[in-house]
Amino acid sequence: MHQEKRLPRNGKEGFLYGTIISTLTVLFMTTYSIIYFTGEFNGDIAITILKTLPIIWIIVMLIEPTIFGRIAEALTAKFTQPTDSFNSKILFRILFTVLGMSAAMTLIADVVINGLHSELFSNWLLNWPRNFIIVLFAEVLVIQPIARFFMVKMHEAQDKKDTANAKVQS
């Protein structure tokens, strides 16, 4: 039976796959956002990024699978057919996930970095469309392909090991 090698096959692999995607996205967007707003990169900015990264990453790892991942899965099922290609399904999944996560994380990241302030919602209205487009392209062109490549290599190694074990047993 043919199993999809580009996606996780169980919960442990799903966690690893999500960790890769979340880590790359958080690293990219945190760095981009802080540099965008400060206009420079120096030691203080690097420290801010390092302090902010774990907090943002934990938030992402909590809300993506529990909220936005489930919503994206449901919407993908509504907009695709079982016979649709892998690429069409994954693009819908990415679109819906990025739509929700970018909206939430634009707001949350502003609170984490700058605290609660009076311009929170006006900042969100200005920043979210830019963040959505940037993350959408980053996910489609770089981040998701890296995660799927990692899954393929991991599954190929597992399949090779399983084949070797089967030969030893027979």
Side-chain angles (χ1 to χ4, degrees):
M1 182 174 153
H2 173 72
Q3 287 189 314
E4 179 56 60
K5 289 186 177 190
R6 295 171 285 188
L7 294 175
R9 295 177 180 167
N10 57 48
K12 186 177 173 183
E13 290 179 5
F15 179 76
L16 180 61
Y17 183 72
T19 299
I20 293 167
I21 292 168
S22 296
T23 302
L24 292 174
T25 304
V26 167
L27 180 62
F28 173 73
M29 281 310 294
T30 301
T31 304
Y32 169 79
S33 295
I34 291 173
I35 292 172
Y36 176 82
F37 288 114
T38 62
E40 62 181 327
F41 185 80
N42 57 40
D44 292 337
I45 300 301
I47 297 297
T48 302
I49 291 168
L50 290 174
K51 286 180 182 177
T52 307
L53 217 70
I55 298 164
I56 299 294
W57 184 82
I58 289 168
I59 293 168
V60 166
M61 289 300 288
L62 291 172
I63 66 173
E64 194 286 327
T66 58
I67 300 169
F68 297 108
R70 291 178 182 184
I71 292 169
E73 249 343 283
L75 289 171
T76 299
K78 283 191 180 288
F79 285 94
T80 61
Q81 299 295 318
T83 56
D84 287 347
S85 71
F86 172 83
N87 288 335
S88 66
K89 289 179 183 182
I90 203 77
L91 282 174
F92 272 107
R93 179 71 158 78
I94 292 169
L95 173 67
F96 295 133
T97 302
V98 169
L99 188 64
M101 287 297 292
S102 65
M105 290 311 297
T106 298
L107 188 67
I108 293 167
D110 193 7
V111 171
V112 169
I113 294 167
N114 301 311
L116 291 173
H117 55 89
S118 61
E119 295 157 359
L120 186 63
F121 292 106
S122 62
N123 283 355
W124 182 86
L125 289 172
L126 291 172
N127 296 329
W128 174 71
R130 181 197 67 240
N131 289 350
F132 169 70
I133 295 298
I134 290 168
V135 175
L136 183 62
F137 280 107
E139 289 279 335
V140 169
L141 298 175
V142 180
I143 295 167
Q144 291 274 341
I146 289 170
R148 287 193 300 276
F149 176 79
F150 185 80
M151 283 289 116
V152 167
K153 292 300 178 189
M154 187 176 74
H155 289 144
E156 286 174 353
Q158 287 173 348
D159 293 347
K160 190 175 180 178
K161 184 179 174 183
D162 291 346
T163 302
N165 286 341
K167 285 182 182 178
V168 168
Q169 290 178 353
S170 55

